[in-house]
Amino acid sequence: MNNTTYSPKKGEIERKWYVIDATNKPLGRIATEAALILRGKHKPTFTPNIDTGDHVIIINCAKAILTGNKLDQKMYRHHSGYIGGMKEVSARVMLEKNPEKAMMLAVKGMLPHNSLGRAQLKKLRVYAGDKHENQAQKPEVWEVK
């Protein structure tokens, strides 16, 4: 009996493309599904220390919704590095001006915070509208419950 754990090699990993439609769906629900696909947790060959995930295209992220009072209470913060350089933007303003960034930050927070997570994030494409430029990859539709 073989007691070794299977670990996929770089050439053995098959990468598919999936498209997720964010119309009238919660932003966090879309982000969790995208993170699951990017990490490869939906595959039987999932390995935590190897990037086995697939590519994800998120369309219509401008039509994603936030539940409860998050539109006014949730704040996106970043710091310039200078004294007093804290910048705050409410979720309402972020979704109006830059919905792609809001979705990207939500997915980024659900991936590992290391070099593996950065590599997985590169396989994510986010579009505010319903048009995307990855038709040649023949993406499959991923249904979010």
Side-chain angles (χ1 to χ4, degrees), residues 70-104:
K70 290 188 202 91
L71 272 176
D72 299 313
Q73 291 178 353
K74 181 176 176 61
M75 299 300 255
Y76 290 94
R77 296 179 178 92
H78 67 276
H79 201 283
S80 68
Y82 290 96
I83 297 170
M86 174 82 93
K87 308 282 188 221
E88 280 189 339
V89 179
S90 72
R92 185 180 299 276
V93 173
M94 180 72 97
L95 285 174
E96 285 172 8
K97 291 190 174 178
N98 200 348
E100 296 102 333
K101 186 172 183 182
M103 186 66 74
M104 187 74 82

Side-chain angles (χ1 to χ4, degrees), residues 2 4 16 70 73 80 84 110 119 132:
N2 190 359
T4 57
K16 285 187 174 179
K70 290 188 202 91
Q73 291 178 353
S80 68
M110 296 177 189
H132 63 86

Side-chain angles (χ1 to χ4, degrees), residues 1-7:
M1 186 158 110
N2 190 359
N3 288 339
T4 57
T5 303
Y6 172 73
S7 186

Side-chain angles (χ1 to χ4, degrees), residues 117-129:
R118 290 188 293 275
Q120 291 167 344
L121 192 65
K122 287 179 184 174
K123 295 186 308 220
L124 175 69
R125 280 125 182 114
V126 183
Y127 299 97

